């Protein structure tokens, strides 16, 4: 399997629409050529070595609406998955109350990496308007019985580059070849 980009387009946002609103505004791009092919969304402020080919393959095998790269690491927010790695809750911090969309007996608390594989049919299911988080749409759809799954990415390097100290750490990691696997 080979992942290639055929063209680049920019979807300008006069008002920042957050991850869900921005994707909804750019939906035309993902539906233009082939409405059947899943696509990858990768947050711009994240660096990782996640195996995208393996993730796309996992998405295809699970026939999920969306597949989210997740890790067992410290984070300010967590997504909770059942034993089949299906999304069932969100929690802000380890001690916060969960926003439940299912009734699993045992859940795994995992940090979302900002990397997703999305089936184009997801775009037609977005009823949210304006500024909204894609996670809110995922939780709503999971609550409606749609298959939103996790892809365990614990073995891969990942760093959020949203703060200067994180950029410096990523540069040190690259120098030490921690990033190169």
């Amino acid at each position: 399997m080979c992942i290639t980009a055929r063209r680049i387009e920019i979807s300008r946002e006069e008002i920042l629409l957050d991850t869900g609103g921005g994707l909804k505004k750019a939906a035309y791009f993902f539906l233009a050529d082939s409405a059947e092919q899943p696509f990858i969304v990768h947050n711009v402020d994240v660096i990782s070595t996640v195996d995208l080919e393996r993730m796309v393959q996992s998405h295809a095998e699970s026939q999920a609406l969306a597949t989210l790269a997740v890790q067992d690491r410290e984070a300010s927010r967590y997504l909770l998955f059942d034993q089949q790695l299906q999304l069932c809750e969100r929690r802000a911090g380890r001690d916060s109350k969960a926003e439940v969309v299912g009734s699993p007996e045992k859940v795994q608390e995992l940090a979302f990496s900002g990397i997703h594989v999305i089936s184009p049919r997801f775009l037609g299911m977005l009823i949210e308007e304006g500024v909204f988080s894609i996670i809110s749409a995922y939780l709503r759809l999971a609550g409606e019985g749609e298959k939103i799954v996790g892809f365990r990415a614990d073995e891969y390097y990942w760093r959020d580059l949203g703060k200067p100290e994180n950029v410096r750490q990523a540069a040190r990691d690259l120098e030490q070849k921690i990033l190169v696997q």
Side-chain angles (χ1 to χ4, degrees):
M1 178 183 310
C2 181
I3 299 172
T4 60
R6 290 181 278 162
R7 69 180 201 260
I8 296 173
E9 291 198 23
I10 296 173
S11 176
R12 184 166 170 73
E13 298 174 14
E14 298 300 325
I15 297 171
L16 296 180
L17 298 173
D18 205 344
T19 53
L23 182 62
K24 185 172 182 175
K25 182 178 186 294
Y28 70 91
F29 175 78
F30 300 103
L31 298 173
D33 289 333
S34 174
E36 299 302 317
Q37 293 297 316
F39 56 91
I40 298 168
V41 174
H42 193 295
N43 289 9
V44 69
D45 61 349
V46 164
I47 187 170
S48 79
T49 62
V50 171
D51 185 337
L52 298 176
E53 286 188 35
R54 191 167 149 227
M55 191 172 167
V56 168
Q57 181 180 3
S58 174
H59 175 79
E61 289 168 0
S62 72
Q63 298 181 354
L65 185 62
T67 301
L68 317 177
V70 293
Q71 295 177 318
D72 184 11
R73 61 174 164 76
E74 286 296 317
S76 60
R77 292 177 302 247
Y78 296 92
L79 296 177
L80 282 70
F81 294 84
D82 65 17
Q83 295 304 301
Q84 289 74 45
L85 276 180
Q86 292 197 46
L87 179 64
C88 55
E89 300 178 46
R90 168 176 52 189
R91 180 175 291 146
R94 290 216 188 257
D95 299 325
S96 300
K97 185 179 176 195
E99 180 181 333
V100 181
V101 297
S103 57
E105 292 180 19
K106 187 172 181 182
V107 295
Q108 302 173 65
E109 212 172 47
L110 300 168
F112 177 48
S113 70
I115 304 168
H116 348 210
V117 177
I118 302 173
S119 295
R121 63 188 178 91
F122 169 77
L123 299 170
M125 299 172 144
L126 291 175
I127 58 172
E128 295 79 4
E129 295 292 333
V131 178
F132 67 94
S133 167
I134 198 167
I135 298 298
S136 297
Y138 287 154
L139 287 165
R140 176 182 58 78
L141 290 165
E144 294 172 4
E146 292 294 336
K147 196 171 185 181
I148 312 294
V149 301
F151 172 81
R152 291 300 296 259
D154 298 309
E155 66 195 79
Y156 303 107
Y157 179 87
W158 180 92
R159 183 162 303 277
D160 180 332
L161 300 177
K163 296 178 182 175
E165 60 268 20
N166 292 350
V167 174
R168 287 190 289 275
Q169 183 60 53
R172 286 191 295 272
D173 293 346
L174 186 58
E175 287 174 1
Q176 296 172 6
K177 300 195 189 286
I178 292 172
L179 271 168
V180 181
Q181 292 185 347

